[in-house]
Amino acid sequence: MGNLSINLKPNFMGLLKCLNSINWFIVFFSLINLSMCIYEDQIGKFDWRQSYVGRIKFAQFDTVSTARKIIVATEENVLAALNLKTGQVVWRHVFESTSSGNIQLLHLSDQIITVTGSNPYLVRGWDLSTGVLIWEWGLTLQKNEHTDFSEWWVQNGLLVHMVPKFGSHIEVSVYNVATGHNRGATSKLPAVWINEGCVLSPPYYTCISGSPGNQLLLSMDVTSDAVQIISKPLAEYTTARNGNLNPFDTNTVIPGFLLNEKIILIRGNKFEAINIAISEPSASVALVDSASGPLVLQTWNDEAKGFTLMAHNLVSGQRVNEIGWSDRSLSIPEPELSAVICTKTAREQHVCRILVTAADDASHLIQQEGRVLWTREEALANVVAVEFVDLPVSDLDAAIESEFDQKEGSVLAAFTRRLQSQFQQLQGAVRALLAGDAAAADEPPPLVRDYFNLHKIMVLLTDTGKIFGMDNLSGEILWKLYEPNLNTEAAVMFTRRSARHPPHDAYLTVVGKHEETGNGLIVSLNPIRGTPVGEQTLHLDVQILQCAVLYKADAQKLHALILLDKDENVQILPESSAPLVENMYMHVADRSSAVVRGYALRHDGERVSAKNIWSVDLSGGGSQRVVWSVSKPAAERIHSAGRVLPDRSVLYKHLNPNLVLLLTEGPDPVHKDVVVATCVDGVSGGVLSAHVHRRARRPALPLHSEHFLAYLYYNDKQRRHEIATLELYEGPERWVPAGAAFSSLRGARAPHVQRHAYIVPAAPAAAALSATERSLTDKHVLLALSTGAIVELPWALLEPRRALSPAGEAREEGLVPYAPELPLPAEAVVNYNATLLRLTRIHTAPSGLESTSLVLATGLDLFYTRIAPSKTFDLLKDDFDYYLISVVLAALVLATYSTKYFAARKMLKMAWK
Amino acid sequence: MQQFTLIFVVHLTALFASTACIDYDGFLNMKLEHSLNCNDEKFCHRGSITLKSIRTGVPIIDQILFNEKHLEALKKLANEDEFYSIKTTITTGENSKGTEYLSSVKAQAFLENGLSDVINAWILPNGAVIAVNFQVANSTQPLKQATNEYKLNSKFYLRYIEQAPVPDTASYIQKMERDREAREKGEMKDNRSFLAKYWMYIVPVAIFVMISGATNPEASAPAGR
């Protein structure tokens, strides 16, 4: 045995040598490993998901099952069950976003009954506790007219569908709910008196009809076999000349309606006016059942008292004092009672739970003493724009920074500054020690920048005009600001001053339209605290054509906002920055006419004027329209100006910072539909490259960074989604020497354009490019698919330079051989199994760590995560064993010194021998 | 018979021309106007470019000569670092009304490069022009003077907008086929025995083992002591 081991000895050395060379292979293979998964125990460590349902349209309390829930149907066509205690989504069904998913009816009995769509309709029954579909039947009406005003309700286990034909008749059909069996076919009830102002309070349909001053209040039970019309002169109920009918927001008791702030019930085929005053014309009124008889609840937002709720007993007309309060701290604009449930406790006290939906899409569940159990900010289901804002540095860091900022001054002055700041640091440390841990534990972590700048504030602009400030690490809402007049269609956000410039605060501006006038509306706020700053909310008296932020900052480190209005006048905010305008260009693309105009902005000593210097007409004979216009990200850094080829030459990238990609689509007489992609220089108006896709539609999701561009389109011929990619190169020589500024206005050279197209074997919903601080890291493309996954793809796979069978040199460069289909591997899904429904956008932002890019996906769900396209090369692994490495190090040091000691002893002994 | 072949050849050239991505042929008329030395109007005549056929793309350029007044105005613009704008109105057989395009160059650069510019007109396959770009040509030639008048030095290029590439499935499948065939061929050939196939690898290994076996007794002797 001993002999054998000795035999192996020289071979073992050879093996080691062999292993050494294999080592390189191991390193090499680990580098090209493209999988980017996380471990199971890392779920939720760097990412979070928030589920939303949209603005609540119908809501009902589930009183049947043991686990208390609220079943809601929303304007986003979502049916969901919310936990009564926490407001969390228990289960959720997302229907089609088009009109076929529109929810018409939500009814709760022992199961949930919904009617969705608009001719054809789908009637479905769902299990209450699990949300499982139990049965379903479809219904198609022969005639498609007048169905916009049709009404659905469930009565005695039968589904009633009513189609009013104004000025003529009402069609009523009754179906068996579960089977769809039509019980008595469709009956037509003659009613010439119905009009648009009618209200339904099942089963009564009530209208005001007749000539002014001589009006009648008419009502009819549409489900009864015998047609019986209740008719009374309007003057009996109201003194006003014009009657205005309104239904109750929630009614579970008696058929009734509101007539000019007066409650009228229909009891025993008679109108019955109730003597309970409605305090506000805008108040939301609900009729609910309780243990002590029916109650009338009304709520409104009082200017003086804030959110106010009041309850009256329907029978006695007395105020119920225990239900009703005012709260100034609650900001619930235009509250609407979505659902109310009232029970009685053992001590004969009313216990009410009230679900209130506000104009800002937020839903609040409130108990009768005014305690808000939970709030759901459903505006976040429709995020329009996102901006990542850096947090300010802590006071201590700011002091250190200011110390190093001051360059001038003598050595002595610098020394005293040094001493001062050291003393401040010492003071801070002592104070922290004295305060102890107790105080720190209670307070939330302060909003200061962390070492790697991973902690940021995300400012989210929503469709309703509500602006949120959200902590990116926890997803917690830090502040919210509701601007009811803000129309966020095509709204943009700019960070005009970051928090890096103490004592100045950060400054963020939202540029949108006014809801009514369509003129410009500018909201400026501090993104850290959500407080208005600067010009605050500014309503312009003109429509905005284009806006931009000046690249130069003024003395207060504020970047001015430049607005080009409809009359081609320029406004600068603040006006004091006008002299800074120099070499500023803007372009405006008209969507429908496809004319793109470029303007040069000039300051002539007094004011800034815009001169139209170029215009191109992309309409292609009048049929094309502009779908997308994308320029480069404003604060983009470029790491390398070229690519090294295998023969050690450099292929220089064409890095034109003014490049704009314009995508147009339109019909073509020969090729059905065509998509044209045009690369235009935004300063000179020069076309750099253009190409046509024949038989293609719906260009979408353009990506633009450095020297490459990509966009998706639908190939009509092959019926699939494809992605076209472009790269612009200057060639083996630079056009301008290194370090020289690029100018669009000099030279008439065209870049070399590399193009290719790939098949995307999925339906993409959103796309984004990863962004890192210095662009050292690889660029990865994030593709959100309609399946609810976000796939991370390296740009190397989309590169247009991929050759079908690369020859020797190209292979050496590391280009992946061309394959027409993009691989979408499951391990590249960044959101693992957390399916994200109806994604619309992905936003990326750099962090302080070069390897890491922050990602926020918005849609019906919000999903935040971080990605590391080139792996976390600048960060220790998450499960790095600090304990083990310190033990090993200590042991090594110990061993070194002990062997040294023993060696010395041995030497001594040897010497004595 | 000869006539027939001639017609055939003409037809072929037409086919080749259509590979320049144009579905349509016709004339193209460009009216050039500039904002220089125009008395009251914003734009005045500078010249015209006419193409008999879009497909051949041969231009006939006819432009005015700049006089001292033009040059003075241009120098004034250059001093103010302003733009020299050119408006182009294009009329074609289909579009008799005309479409306007605007383009500008820096007056300074235009003057420095001896009034030479490059005109690019980008044309879609359906014959519609999307853009007319004026760019200053990088030439260092001085102003050409001919009796107090200066000649404009313009080059015109008609740029056809090409069809974008489509995913290349056909050649990929062909490549796959070729690979598969090559593999199959390789497998068909290799029906020799294991030793016959890999003797060149086995022999050196065997020799190596033999040599190391022979050296062993010597190596083990000092270790044994």
Side-chain angles (χ1 to χ4, degrees), chain A residues 395-426:
Chain A
D395 293 341
L396 205 64
D397 291 344
I400 294 168
E401 258 177 42
S402 68
E403 184 200 325
F404 285 104
D405 269 353
Q406 290 160 339
K407 296 239 164 33
E408 70 279 354
S410 64
V411 179
L412 200 70
F415 181 65
T416 48
R417 267 207 304 276
R418 174 85 267 205
L419 279 181
Q420 265 177 0
S421 71
Q422 291 267 343
F423 180 67
Q424 275 172 3
Q425 283 174 40
L426 190 72

Side-chain angles (χ1 to χ4, degrees), chain A residues 259-311:
Chain A
L259 173 70
N260 289 359
E261 292 116 55
K262 209 164 188 184
I263 300 169
I264 293 174
L265 302 180
I266 305 169
R267 239 192 288 217
N269 267 346
K270 262 192 199 117
F271 292 127
E272 200 180 308
I274 301 294
N275 197 17
I276 297 171
I278 305 296
S279 326
E280 260 283 313
S282 65
S284 164
V285 185
L287 219 58
V288 286
D289 216 350
S290 79
S292 60
L295 295 174
V296 178
L297 260 72
Q298 41 179 308
T299 181
W300 68 95
N301 208 351
D302 200 290
E303 270 177 34
K305 287 192 273 178
F307 176 77
T308 313
L309 190 118
M310 214 186 263

Side-chain angles (χ1 to χ4, degrees), chain A residues 161-228:
Chain A
H161 182 210
M162 185 195 80
V163 184
K165 198 170 177 188
F166 299 129
S168 168
H169 62 268
I170 303 170
E171 283 175 27
V172 180
S173 318
V174 184
Y175 305 91
N176 184 314
V177 164
T179 60
H181 184 72
N182 195 342
R183 191 192 57 153
T186 304
S187 54
K188 273 190 189 175
L189 309 174
V192 287
W193 40 269
I194 58 171
N195 50 44
E196 279 97 335
C198 296
V199 293
L200 175 83
S201 174
Y204 288 93
Y205 197 59
T206 313
C207 297
I208 295 171
S209 182
S211 56
N214 203 356
Q215 284 168 321
L216 287 174
L217 189 65
L218 295 148
S219 191
M220 175 165 78
D221 180 355
V222 293
T223 52
S224 72
D225 296 328
V227 178
Q228 238 183 343

Side-chain angles (χ1 to χ4, degrees), chain A residues 312-385:
Chain A
H312 293 86
N313 194 309
L314 184 68
V315 181
S316 61
Q318 292 289 313
R319 252 197 87 167
V320 183
N321 285 324
E322 63 245 47
I323 314 171
W325 75 94
S326 293
D327 196 339
R328 289 200 59 147
S329 61
L330 275 177
S331 68
I332 306 177
E334 297 172 44
E336 199 178 290
L337 295 161
S338 292
V340 184
I341 190 166
C342 283
T343 49
K344 247 184 181 179
T345 58
R347 277 181 287 158
E348 291 291 298
Q349 286 227 315
H350 286 280
V351 177
C352 283
R353 294 237 162 99
I354 303 144
L355 185 70
V356 177
T357 303
D360 60 359
D361 289 4
S363 288
H364 313 261
L365 186 74
I366 307 173
Q367 270 187 344
Q368 83 273 28
E369 66 266 29
R371 197 163 68 88
V372 177
L373 289 176
W374 48 258
T375 299
R376 286 187 68 85
E377 293 291 353
E378 291 302 341
L380 287 170
N382 268 313
V383 175
V384 180

Side-chain angles (χ1 to χ4, degrees), chain A residues 602 613 615 617 685 687 692 804, chain B residues 80 99 102 104 130 133 162 164:
Chain A
R602 250 185 110 87
I613 58 162
S615 81
D617 184 1
V687 176
V692 182
L804 193 62
Chain B
E80 288 167 5
T99 319
L102 191 68
S104 301
I130 60 163
N133 299 140
E162 292 165 35

Side-chain angles (χ1 to χ4, degrees), chain A residues 446-760:
Chain A
L447 284 174
V448 289
R449 185 183 309 201
D450 59 343
Y451 190 67
F452 291 133
N453 200 7
L454 289 165
H455 191 188
K456 296 198 183 207
I457 282 186
M458 303 186 291
V459 180
L460 294 98
L461 178 66
T462 61
D463 192 38
T464 46
K466 200 168 187 181
I467 308 164
F468 292 89
M470 198 181 261
D471 189 314
N472 73 331
L473 296 182
S474 62
E476 184 195 346
I477 294 167
L478 300 171
W479 53 262
K480 43 200 169 191
L481 191 81
Y482 178 51
E483 191 52 61
N485 292 325
L486 183 66
N487 180 350
T488 54
E489 188 200 341
V492 278
M493 270 201 286
F494 297 108
T495 307
R496 286 168 60 190
R497 181 165 61 204
S498 69
R500 269 165 210 259
H501 308 290
H504 304 297
D505 280 336
Y507 198 112
L508 182 128
T509 300
V510 179
V511 183
K513 281 193 284 189
H514 191 270
E515 190 68 64
E516 279 151 31
T517 59
N519 292 342
L521 188 73
I522 293 159
V523 183
S524 291
L525 46 90
N526 177 342
I528 312 298
R529 280 185 233 106
T531 47
V533 285
E535 52 252 30
Q536 306 202 346
T537 305
L538 186 70
H539 184 196
L540 303 177
D541 47 7
V542 68
Q543 288 188 17
I544 300 176
L545 209 58
Q546 182 65 283
C547 58
V549 164
L550 192 65
Y551 57 94
K552 257 189 268 179
D554 64 3
Q556 273 92 43
K557 305 282 178 209
L558 184 71
H559 293 263
L561 189 70
I562 304 173
L563 302 166
L564 183 69
D565 64 30
K566 227 181 160 192
D567 311 320
E568 300 188 0
N569 292 324
V570 183
Q571 283 191 47
I572 312 278
L573 294 171
E575 253 172 63
S576 58
S577 294
L580 294 174
V581 176
E582 192 190 355
N583 277 335
M584 187 77 200
Y585 298 88
M586 276 178 158
H587 66 272
V588 182
D590 190 298
R591 233 170 233 281
S592 51
S593 73
V595 174
V596 189
R597 286 195 181 83
Y599 297 88
L601 269 62
R602 250 185 110 87
H603 183 247
D604 58 1
E606 286 171 32
R607 49 188 288 277
V608 179
S609 58
K611 191 190 169 202
N612 185 2
I613 58 162
W614 59 268
S615 81
V616 295
D617 184 1
L618 302 178
S619 66
S623 56
Q624 299 269 318
R625 59 185 193 90
V626 176
V627 188
W628 286 96
S629 154
V630 251
S631 38
K632 287 201 175 135
E636 193 187 42
R637 270 173 189 254
I638 289 150
H639 175 243
S640 70
R643 289 188 59 136
V644 182
L645 297 180
D647 60 355
R648 302 289 169 265
S649 66
V650 179
L651 183 62
Y652 284 101
K653 302 170 183 173
H654 180 68
L655 299 164
N656 183 348
N658 310 317
L659 192 70
V660 184
L661 173 70
L662 289 151
L663 295 173
T664 61
E665 74 164 330
D668 189 87
V670 190
H671 305 288
K672 213 174 162 189
D673 295 294
V674 294
V675 168
V676 186
T678 318
C679 295
V680 178
D681 187 301
V683 169
S684 69
V687 176
L688 294 175
S689 147
H691 55 253
V692 182
H693 294 271
R694 284 171 176 170
R695 293 201 70 174
R697 281 189 293 140
R698 300 205 303 262
L701 316 176
L703 301 170
H704 189 174
S705 180
E706 289 193 29
H707 67 300
F708 56 81
L709 303 129
Y711 56 88
L712 280 130
Y713 59 91
Y714 182 74
N715 188 330
D716 230 1
K717 197 172 168 189
Q718 310 280 356
R719 292 168 189 277
R720 66 190 176 198
H721 291 276
E722 291 175 1
I723 187 163
T725 61
L726 286 89
E727 280 186 342
L728 280 76
Y729 289 101
E730 289 183 356
E733 267 172 46
R734 279 192 162 187
W735 293 359
V736 286
F742 179 88
S743 172
S744 295
L745 295 164
R746 279 189 185 274
R749 297 177 74 173
H752 180 62
V753 184
Q754 296 268 4
R755 288 188 279 238
H756 229 314
Y758 297 92
I759 302 165
V760 184

Side-chain angles (χ1 to χ4, degrees), chain B residues 21 28 49-50 58-59 95 133 186:
Chain B
C21 264
L28 190 80
I49 299 171
T50 318
V58 181
N95 181 6
N133 299 140

